[in-house]
Amino acid sequence: MDYKKTASDVLSAVGGNENVNSVIHCVTRLRFKLKDNQLPDKEQIKQIDGVITVVESGGQFQVVIGNEVPKVYEALLETMGVKPDQASQEEQNNEKSSLFSRFVDVISGVFMPVVGVLAAVGILKGLLALCTSLGWMTDQMGTYKILYATADAMFYFFPIILGFSAGKKFGGNPYLSAVLGAALVYPTMTSAFTDKTALSFLTIPVVLINYTSSVIPIIIGAFLAAKVEKMISKYAPASIKMFIVPLLTLVIISPIVFLVVGPISTIISDGLAKGSMWIYQLSPAVAGLVLAGFWQAIIIFGLHWAFIPILLNNVVTNGFDPINGMLFCTTFAQTGAAFAIALKSRDPKLKPIATSATIAGLMGVTEPAIYGVTLPAKKPFILASIAAGIGGATAGLLGSTAYGFASGGIFGIPLFINPKGIDAGFIGFIISLVVAFVLAFILTYLFGYKNAKPAPEIKVADESKEEDKVVFSPLNGELIPLTAVNDEAFSSGAMGQGAAIIAKDGVAYAPFNGTVVTVFKTKHAIGLISEDGVELLIHIGINTVSLKGKHFTSFVSEGDAIQKGDKLVEFDPEAIAGEGYDLTTSIIVTNSAVYTDIIVEGKKDIHAGDSLLNIR
């Protein structure tokens, strides 16, 4: 490959220097932030010598090169006439980024770390409502009070939790913004509101508001605090910066939040709640049909984060949210379509994917169903969306309502039980789930999927011959086909053949005797070569290059000799997943072209050291 020519052709195809905001690279691809993502011609770029494929994800235009990407990157920077630090610096002003895009980015960054816990405490509140409805508990029992306090605490002290999350997102001190949130729900302030006690700050009257469970005030307050903190930090003497910066920030921002931000954002909050209810009440059935019908498409483009504040705000302002009552059935629609394909398909690769996707969908995780089953087949995704729209219309018509923030799946169902007991709205909600699931199943089974010629079955080696080469599993976890990986560069086989493992713990071991060829600086990917010439890439997670080495510890360096079972890298699966990254690890034979056959031998529940690939 002529690295300079490849770099020059890629740069020209993406629109030249003037269309590039920034560019970095990971272990396999160039990652561009472009001013105009519509300018490049994907098909033209795929034809460039050295380019494997093109992927658009996470706001990045990604050109997959493979193992030679560092050299192409160097040639690219030379062609662009920029230094590495200039190339990797994000465009701070985002001139071409719309306000809506920035809003979605902020909301996703603030809420993503807490969504799992929000769903958990919401489900707990729903289960408690179920227990009281059935007479298994009363609200006077100690058990009930302890569990209810646990479930309700997050909502009551939401400004503290959101303050911490927002502080991190805005680049401020998260503990400082958490203190700001704590001030909003401090007992003296809530008592003053309850007792209607007059308060003033430097003779300026304070509008008393109950900020428990509030959302918008602390997000705006954290944003302002981060800005003020950075400004003060520039001028504060180093000797007293540790305490003077947070002191002045709190003294400045706290009164602003109570005097200005709180009252204004409360008006906005009430307006959002009333506005969403007004739209809903115009025609609940039509609202459910439209919103639920398009909801999974909205999720694919990441636009659903814009709705999260509205859904949460409805709960904390009204005590309930009818919007999520209409949207919840969408996960069951996609799951029903995946189930139909799981039963009908004779493809030995697709059938297990669809089966596992069905199980995951019932648990509330629809990504395997969407990206692995319905979306690639196109028609099942459309039919499932139609079924979801009808389910949403049913929910709207019958008055389905959420009483907390619910994630999808069967575990979220209790959240739709009225705290006063099971009512018609809950019955309607259950009907909407059944309608969405059954209708998507029937439509997909009858019209959405036809069995193509079965794909060749994965061969199982009878016995390893002396000339066969074996790659052993580097991880403990669940073995899945490479085609199920939610990254086109790997799942398409463009990088080479292999397998993928969903890691159960955080250690990767050497899969054979050989040498370390590459340890990427972010430690999420390692290139190896065995003693008998197998070139292997172990890529931990999807898009984990963005973590910049956070949560990873490498135990080897380039050029190190390794023995099977040597520890290569440790990583923290919970922390990585908590930051929103998929932990699926791809194990790719990057020189697959030189071999006749690469056979996946591992069992579904695979352990480090088990036989994984047999190479001929």
Side-chain angles (χ1 to χ4, degrees), residues 238-252:
S239 58
I240 59 173
K241 180 179 290 188
M242 182 179 70
F243 67 86
I244 199 67
V245 172
L247 172 62
L248 293 178
T249 302
L250 287 173
V251 168
I252 293 170

Side-chain angles (χ1 to χ4, degrees), residues 62-115:
Q62 304 172 11
V63 181
V64 182
I65 302 292
N67 292 340
E68 303 296 325
V69 69
K71 295 178 181 177
V72 175
Y73 179 72
E74 290 178 6
L76 178 66
L77 297 189
E78 184 179 342
T79 303
M80 294 175 66
V82 300
K83 297 178 181 179
D85 58 342
Q86 294 173 320
S88 61
Q89 183 179 8
E90 293 289 342
E91 192 72 24
Q92 296 298 321
N93 295 328
N94 289 323
E95 296 99 330
K96 293 293 183 180
S97 179
S98 68
L99 286 175
F100 181 75
S101 297
R102 279 179 275 175
F103 170 74
V104 170
D105 176 67
V106 167
I107 295 302
S108 63
V110 171
F111 284 99
M112 186 180 290
V114 303
V115 163

Side-chain angles (χ1 to χ4, degrees), residues 28-30 42-43 45-48 50-56 61-66 487-490 492-495:
T28 59
R29 62 194 79 182
L30 300 170
K42 288 185 181 180
E43 296 305 317
I45 296 174
K46 289 178 183 179
Q47 301 305 315
I48 295 174
V51 173
I52 297 173
T53 189
V54 175
V55 177
E56 285 191 80
F61 189 89
Q62 304 172 11
V63 181
V64 182
I65 302 292
D487 189 315
E488 184 183 344
F490 297 132
S492 66
M495 293 293 301

Side-chain angles (χ1 to χ4, degrees), residues 498-554:
I501 297 174
I502 302 174
K504 286 186 178 177
D505 52 36
V507 184
Y509 302 92
F512 46 52
N513 299 338
T515 304
V516 178
V517 177
T518 305
V519 178
F520 198 66
K521 62 182 179 180
T522 53
K523 307 168 191 173
H524 74 292
I526 298 177
L528 309 172
I529 185 168
S530 69
E531 292 178 342
D532 46 13
V534 176
E535 297 178 9
L536 197 74
L537 170 66
I538 302 174
H539 193 286
I540 302 170
I542 297 174
N543 288 327
T544 44
V545 63
S546 301
L547 290 171
K548 299 180 181 179
K550 186 180 178 183
H551 309 310
F552 289 89
T553 303
S554 177

Side-chain angles (χ1 to χ4, degrees), residues 392-407:
T394 303
L397 190 63
L398 298 178
S400 302
T401 301
Y403 294 92
F405 184 81
S407 61

Side-chain angles (χ1 to χ4, degrees), residues 111-112 114-127 155 295-296 299 304-305 308 311-312 315 321 323-332 335 360-367 401-417 426 429 433:
F111 284 99
M112 186 180 290
V114 303
V115 163
V117 184
L118 265 176
V121 297
I123 291 169
L124 180 55
K125 290 186 78 171
L127 290 173
F155 292 100
W295 187 244
Q296 292 297 333
I299 289 176
H304 61 296
W305 288 106
I308 299 301
L311 304 183
L312 282 171
V315 173
D321 171 40
I323 309 299
N324 214 358
M326 300 183 298
L327 297 178
F328 199 84
C329 67
T330 61
T331 62
F332 285 81
T335 303
L362 292 174
M363 299 299 107
V365 181
T366 53
E367 284 81 2
T401 301
Y403 294 92
F405 184 81
S407 61
I410 57 176
F411 292 113
I413 292 176
L415 212 68
F416 295 82
I417 300 174
F426 180 70
F429 168 72
L433 302 188

